[in-house]
């Protein structure tokens, strides 16, 4: 070979941590050479510094006064953050087929089509849903919901973001506005007409309720929704799944449907910045064509 014999033939490659350790040893070797064997340009290239990170300051006894840290140009660069395991293709369909109630099918659909956090979904009130065009709030043309942070929810479910909101003549205005797909509206009406107790609407007024047991009709907690999602995933043969995986799938589908537009994806999911979508939530090589078609329909309508 042009550069000699291959190194570590038949062995597993070094991990990033091992490569970093080897780079530190190699740098120390070259810097520790005697003056007559030391190359001036090589020493200048190796003797570099960088700004300390928060972790560096916490590790040091006098980290609060540290201004520089030694840098090693031989060390491998940090790779991108590994995204969590995504559900396989047709994962949503398998979950819907194994869900036993209209409420559970609605939760799965709203998580995947709306990109809700589980706390946002469990914290919704019926008054937050404006599932028709040109609603009274006059803040969105198409069907939408208002995600409002409430500390007084019976089930302790809260939205992560605290956008200001208010009631104006009995109509919710403000909060974080999230678009709603036709499939989400369909599952909502099936749930409301078949399983939702009338006493809940006149009582606490929350969207998701418990359907069995002594607490029948009481608001469903975020922990209960996670347990339901996990049980349905096990019945569908998907293993232990988490509702937040649906939010990653939603971000990926929005990016695919919008041609990689990070601004649209940020606004659709309520993220604080487009960089969050790009670096954490968007995995454009993993998507479901069914989600893309539904999201394109929503964007075209709104």
């Amino acid at each position: 070979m042009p550069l000699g014999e291959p190194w570590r033939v038949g062995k597993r490659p070094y991990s990033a941590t091992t490569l970093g350790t080897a780079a530190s040893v190699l740098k120390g070797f070259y810097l520790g050479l005697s003056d007559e064997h030391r190359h001036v340009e090589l020493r200048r290239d190796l003797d570099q510094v960088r700004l300390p990170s928060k972790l560096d300051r916490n590790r040091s006894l006098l980290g609060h006064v540290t201004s520089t840290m030694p840098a090693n140009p031989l060390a491998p660069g940090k790779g991108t953050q590994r995204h969590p395991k995504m559900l396989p293709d047709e994962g949503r369909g398998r979950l819907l087929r194994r869900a036993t109630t209209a409420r559970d099918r609605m939760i799965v659909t709203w998580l995947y089509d709306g990109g809700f956090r589980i706390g946002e979904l469990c914290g919704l009130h019926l008054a937050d849903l404006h599932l028709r065009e040109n609603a009274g709030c006059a803040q969105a043309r198409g069907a939408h919901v208002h995600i409002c942070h409430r500390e007084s929810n019976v089930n302790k479910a809260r939205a992560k973001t605290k956008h200001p909101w208010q009631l104006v003549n009995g109509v919710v205005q403000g909060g974080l506005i999230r678009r709603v797909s036709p499939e989400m509206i369909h599952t909502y009406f099936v749930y409301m007409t078949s399983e939702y107790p009338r006493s809940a609407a006149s009582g606490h007024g929350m969207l998701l309720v418990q359907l069995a047991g002594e607490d029948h009709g009481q608001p469903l907690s975020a922990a209960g929704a996670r347990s339901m999602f996990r049980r349905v995933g096990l019945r569908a043969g998907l293993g232990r799944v988490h509702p937040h995986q649906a939010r990653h799938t939603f971000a990926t589908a929005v990016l695919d449907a919008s041609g990689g537009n990070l601004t649209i994806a940020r606004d659709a999911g309520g993220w604080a910045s487009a960089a969050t979508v790009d670096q954490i939530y968007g995995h454009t090589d993993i998507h479901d064509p069914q989600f893309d078609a539904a999201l394109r329909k929503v964007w075209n309508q709104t």
Side-chain angles (χ1 to χ4, degrees):
M1 299 181 65
L3 301 179
E5 294 294 330
W7 187 47
R8 294 180 57 82
V9 176
K11 299 181 180 180
R12 296 180 60 183
Y14 282 154
S15 64
T17 303
T18 306
L19 289 175
T21 303
S24 299
V25 173
L26 190 61
K27 177 183 176 180
F29 169 76
Y30 283 114
L31 293 180
L33 294 175
S34 57
D35 293 336
E36 60 269 17
H37 295 95
R38 186 180 302 162
H39 198 284
V40 178
E41 294 183 0
L42 179 61
R43 179 177 180 83
R44 183 176 64 251
D45 293 339
L46 292 178
D47 196 10
Q48 298 181 8
V49 295
R50 59 177 176 84
L51 293 175
S53 64
K54 184 177 180 180
L55 184 60
D56 295 327
R57 295 183 184 276
N58 292 337
R59 286 175 174 173
S60 177
L61 179 61
L62 298 176
H64 61 286
V65 298
T66 302
S67 59
T68 59
M69 294 290 293
N72 189 356
L74 301 178
K78 295 183 179 180
T80 58
Q81 184 177 4
R82 183 181 66 87
H83 64 76
K85 183 186 294 185
M86 305 293 290
L87 291 174
D89 293 340
E90 301 298 329
R92 174 189 177 186
R94 294 167 63 178
L95 288 172
L96 290 175
R97 286 191 294 270
R98 300 302 296 179
T100 57
T101 65
R103 182 204 63 185
D104 296 349
R105 288 187 289 272
M106 175 187 165
I107 292 176
V108 173
T109 302
W110 281 53
L111 286 174
Y112 275 84
D113 279 5
F116 289 88
R117 297 180 178 92
I118 194 62
E120 295 173 346
L121 185 58
C122 293
L124 286 177
H125 288 238
L126 297 178
D128 301 333
L129 312 182
H130 295 170
L131 305 183
R132 61 180 178 87
E133 295 185 356
N134 301 319
C137 66
Q139 293 184 300
R141 186 179 63 183
H144 62 279
V145 300
H146 296 259
I147 301 175
C148 305
H149 180 89
R150 295 181 176 92
E151 294 288 346
S152 59
N153 283 337
V154 180
N155 59 357
K156 305 300 182 182
R158 301 180 181 89
K160 183 178 180 180
T161 55
K162 299 181 180 180
H163 295 274
W165 64 278
Q166 60 181 344
L167 277 173
V168 179
N169 296 326
V171 178
V172 175
Q173 292 186 355
L176 179 62
I177 298 177
R178 191 75 54 83
R179 293 177 174 88
V180 175
S181 70
E183 185 64 21
M184 294 168 64
I185 299 176
H186 172 72
T187 56
Y188 163 79
F189 279 109
V190 173
Y191 163 61
M192 293 297 294
T193 56
S194 61
E195 297 176 352
Y196 193 82
R198 296 182 180 179
S199 59
S202 59
H204 52 73
M206 302 194 70
L207 175 61
L208 298 179
V209 299
Q210 302 183 45
L211 301 178
E214 298 180 355
D215 295 328
H216 176 267
Q218 293 300 310
L220 180 68
S221 65
R226 291 190 187 96
S227 299
M228 179 280 299
F229 200 84
R230 182 173 62 251
R231 292 193 302 269
V232 174
L234 292 174
R235 290 199 299 267
L238 300 175
R240 294 177 63 90
V241 293
H242 193 276
H244 205 68
Q245 293 176 256
R247 186 164 168 83
H248 284 260
T249 305
F250 170 81
T252 302
V254 173
L255 285 175
D256 289 335
S258 62
N261 193 313
L262 293 173
T263 302
I264 292 179
R266 179 201 64 189
D267 295 340
W271 284 281
S273 65
T276 302
V277 183
D278 186 30
Q279 299 175 7
I280 299 178
Y281 285 91
H283 318 296
T284 54
D285 57 333
I286 303 174
H287 64 93
D288 191 326
Q290 183 180 0
F291 298 162
D292 296 351
L295 287 166
R296 288 192 185 97
K297 184 183 298 184
V298 174
W299 288 114
N300 291 335
Q301 292 176 349
T302 54

